[in-house]
Structure formats: C-alpha cells, structure tokens
Amino acid sequence: MADRRLFTLVSILIGISIVLTYTLSVYTTILFGVNEFHFAFRQAIFGIFSIFVIWLLAQGNPDKLLTPIGFTLFIGSTVLMIAMPFLPEYFVSAVGGAKRWIKVFGFSLAPVEFFKIGFVYFLAWSFSRKYRDHDGMGVKDEYIRFAPYGIVFIGAMFIIAFVQNDLGQVVVLGLTLLFMLMFAGSSFRFFLTLLIGALMFFIFFIFTAEHRIMRIKSWWAFAQNTVLEIFPESIAAQLRVPTEVEPYQIGHSLNAIHNGGLFGTGIANGTFKLGFLSEVHTDFVLAGLAEEFGFVGVLIVTIIFLLMLQRIFKIANRTKDSRIYLFSLGVGLLLSFAFLVNAYGISGITPIKGISVPFLSYGGSSILAASIGIGMVLMASKKAKMD
C-alpha cells in the first residue's frame, strides 16, 4: 500500500498554495486587469489535478510503470527543450528573449520542470546498474565511469543556462546529481573534486552574462556591510560596490518578513505585496507568507515540508531496490535544494535564483511536475516496508 501520510502532507501544501495565491496576487490581478480569483482559480485547477495525478500514480505497479514514466519524462522534456528555440512564437512564451514555456490549451508548461524529475529517474536507473561494484576504484577510474553522465549534464546545463537563461535550475540539478552520486557509492575524494569543478563552472556561467553579474553585484551591495566588517578598511574599500545597485527586491523581501513579526499581519492584510515585491505569489511566496502569517506561519509550513521530506527519505531507506532508493532520495534532494535556494535568496543569504518553492509557489508546471515525482515515489513505496 502506498504511503498515505506522504499523500496527505503534499495535499495540505497544495491547499496552502491555493490560499496563498489568492491572498498574495491581489496587486497582480489589478495590474493585469483580471478577476481577483484569476490566479487562485488557475492554481486550484492545477492543484486539484495534481492531487488526482498523485493518487492515480500511487495505484500503479512500480515494476511495470516507473521506468516507462521516468524515461518518457526524461526523453520527452529533453526533446521539447531542444526544439523550443525553433518553435513559432504562437506556440511558446518568451521572457527576456528566452523561450521557457509551451502554450497548451491556454496554459503555459515549462519542460524543464518535468526534465528534472526525468533526469533524477534516469540517474537512479543508471546508477543502480553502474555503481554496484565500486570497491578499489581510483579517482581516475571514477571519472571515466562518470564521463557519460557528465556529458549529459553539460548538455542539459547548456540548454537550461544559456538557451533558457535559467541558472537557478542548473544549481538545483547539479547539487542533486552530486549528492546522488555520493549516495550511489562514489568516493568522497571524487565527490570533492566534482564539487570544486562545479563551483568553477558556476563562476564561469556567472561571468558569461551581464544580468548575472548585476545580480551578484546587487546581492553583494546588500550583504557587503556585514561581511566587510571583519576586513581592514584598506581591503574592504576595494571590495565594496556602489550603493546604486542596492537590491530593492531583497530589501522589500526582508521588510515583508520583518513586518510579519511573530504572528503576521493577518490574511489579506500584507502591504509589501502591493507593488513592492513583483508577483510575490511566485518566487517570493515565502516572504508573503511571513508577512501575513508571521514566523508561526512559516514555521508550520516548514514543519509540514520537513515531514514530507522525512517520509520520502524513509521510503528510500526502507527499500532494498537500489533504483527506488536512489530515485526517492533524488526527488527528496530536488525538493530540498529548491526550497533552500529560494529561502536563502529571499532572505538575502545568497543571490536570488528565480527558483519556485515546491508545492507553494504559483505555477502549474512546477506543482504538476513535483506531484508526478511524488506520485512515482508513492508508487515505489509499495516495495518499501513502511509503518
């Protein structure tokens, strides 16, 4: 039997996202001249459909369905991402010149969201076969064995980071790949060398695009006063950037969090959603949550999220099937890193990456893709000894 607690926890998060979408999108509905329930209604459609998808997938046979579904997501979304730059404008939506969404029946779907789930399944399927015997291997041999995965990831990284201008997704995917490798059985030395290499690539990608450089400068303008206090003034003066690049989005995000206090201003009573934070119901949903529901509201949502992750990792830990173990682990890592990257960004700890909060941020692609991942984990949980 599929894990009911996991299904319940995810359904609660989806329900919360519908409420947050309604209360936080008030300014955006006025700006676009749409009905006050416009975004909440669309989120409700995707939310209810996603819950149904989770339930439907949970009924399936993991031995027969996991691999076809996983590879359909992986191959299908890869083909779509490659084809998107060449598709006509009426079929795709572009932001900042980057084509990221495909228009389907009045809705926009982002193939990259489904690619992440498919990529995790591909890694789990392949690692479970290739990493069975790893004793006595040197770092060089591990690199040779890892080379095909590296090529696939670099190809995906090129499409997502350069073609779609979405470096945040690459960060989440890269971290998930690294940790899945470690849990699959690679040595710590190999893990460390890959981590250093990934950091170098990350820096390279930042300096290949002007908007990423400005984003880093904007974040540093906010964080520099705290960090530079530990340096002598002669050094601090060289590292300080002009205040005209002050990150107003991060500033408003922190003010919203501060304004919420312990118990929040109350539902629909937030002020920073009124044009100060752009479309707060999407990437800044945690800041909007903090303002209207306070620290207590954020704590409750975080606890629900952590309980969800605990069930996912428990499913991974309770199965003897290495493919299911790695896939469940990968889905949990994917959701964890997305949550952390967003939370760190809106609180000013790291630069904003434009990553949505799983199951909470407005967006049909994100919620549906994550739900498919959860549905596959629930399907796989039938082979785990759960209590």
Side-chain angles (χ1 to χ4, degrees):
M1 183 180 292
D3 186 50
R4 292 181 178 178
R5 294 185 195 176
L6 177 57
F7 177 80
T8 302
L9 290 166
V10 173
S11 299
I12 291 172
L13 286 175
I14 292 174
I16 293 173
S17 79
I18 296 171
V19 174
L20 289 175
T21 298
Y22 170 70
T23 183
L24 298 179
S25 64
V26 57
Y27 177 80
T28 310
T29 58
I30 297 173
L31 184 66
F32 289 102
V34 294
N35 184 278
E36 63 175 313
F37 296 101
H38 176 81
F39 294 104
F41 180 68
R42 293 166 75 91
Q43 186 75 343
I45 291 175
F46 271 103
I48 294 169
F49 179 68
S50 295
I51 292 173
F52 172 73
V53 167
I54 294 172
W55 175 85
L56 187 65
L57 288 172
Q59 312 308 309
N61 185 335
D63 294 323
K64 293 181 179 180
L65 295 178
L66 271 182
T67 298
I69 294 172
F71 274 91
T72 298
L73 290 171
F74 178 57
I75 297 172
S77 55
T78 300
V79 171
L80 284 175
M81 287 195 301
I82 294 173
M84 281 178 72
F86 308 102
L87 295 177
E89 292 293 335
Y90 64 82
F91 198 60
V92 295
S93 298
V95 175
K99 296 180 178 180
R100 297 181 185 176
W101 292 275
I102 292 180
K103 299 175 184 177
V104 181
F105 302 115
F107 295 93
S108 296
L109 295 177
V112 68
E113 297 290 349
F114 301 92
F115 172 81
K116 291 188 294 184
I117 303 298
F119 183 65
V120 165
Y121 185 81
F122 164 73
L123 293 178
W125 174 85
S126 189
F127 285 172
S128 65
R129 287 159 171 76
K130 204 166 185 178
Y131 278 73
R132 286 172 180 169
D133 301 315
H134 55 269
D135 293 334
M137 292 188 69
V139 174
K140 181 180 177 181
D141 294 326
E142 290 194 78
Y143 265 107
I144 294 172
R145 184 173 59 178
F146 174 72
Y149 305 106
I151 293 171
V152 171
F153 180 72
I154 289 172
M157 186 168 55
F158 175 81
I159 295 171
I160 299 171
F162 279 112
V163 179
Q164 298 191 348
N165 285 328
D166 198 352
L167 186 59
Q169 299 286 11
V170 173
V171 172
V172 172
L173 276 175
L175 288 171
T176 302
L177 169 61
L178 281 174
F179 279 85
M180 284 185 70
L181 261 176
M182 187 172 67
F183 283 102
S186 65
S187 67
F188 181 73
R189 286 187 303 168
F190 179 65
F191 170 80
L192 195 59
T193 56
L194 275 184
L195 182 60
I196 294 172
L199 288 173
M200 293 175 65
F201 267 112
F202 181 68
I203 294 172
F204 168 76
F205 276 121
I206 289 174
F207 285 98
T208 54
E210 183 64 28
H211 73 278
R212 295 189 189 117
I213 296 174
M214 290 304 299
R215 189 174 294 175
I216 293 294
K217 286 183 177 179
S218 179
W219 165 75
W220 181 243
F222 172 81
Q224 63 183 351
N225 291 334
T226 302
V227 177
L228 294 180
E229 287 181 354
I230 64 175
F231 290 93
E233 183 55 35
S234 58
I235 298 176
Q238 300 297 318
L239 297 174
R240 188 169 282 112
V241 299
T243 55
E244 59 262 23
V245 294
E246 182 179 355
Y248 68 95
Q249 283 286 68
I250 297 177
H252 288 321
S253 176
L254 288 173
N255 287 334
I257 295 170
H258 180 266
N259 190 44
L262 187 60
F263 297 106
T265 59
I267 187 170
N269 291 328
T271 55
F272 284 89
K273 65 185 180 183
L274 303 176
F276 296 97
L277 283 171
S278 60
E279 299 187 21
V280 65
H281 57 296
T282 57
D283 296 343
F284 287 90
V285 67
L286 290 179
L289 171 70
E291 183 179 21
E292 296 199 352
F293 296 91
F295 171 80
V296 173
V298 175
L299 180 63
I300 291 172
V301 168
T302 302
I303 289 173
I304 296 172
F305 200 89
L306 289 174
L307 289 173
M308 176 193 70
L309 293 176
Q310 185 265 342
R311 298 306 295 182
I312 295 173
F313 292 138
K314 192 169 186 177
I315 290 169
N317 191 48
R318 293 292 180 88
T319 181
K320 295 181 180 179
D321 188 323
S322 58
R323 173 186 53 125
I324 291 175
Y325 163 73
L326 289 171
F327 176 69
S328 301
L329 184 74
V331 171
L333 290 171
L334 205 61
L335 298 176
S336 302
F337 289 133
F339 187 94
L340 288 174
V341 168
N342 182 282
Y344 287 169
I346 63 118
S347 56
I349 298 174
T350 61
I352 296 173
K353 294 290 190 300
I355 293 290
S356 60
V357 183
F359 301 113
L360 289 179
S361 292
Y362 172 79
S365 298
S366 174
I367 197 170
L368 181 57
S371 295
I372 291 174
I374 292 295
M376 293 172 70
V377 170
L378 281 173
M379 186 193 303
S381 70
K382 295 177 181 179
K383 301 189 70 174
K385 296 179 180 180
M386 301 297 291
D387 49 32

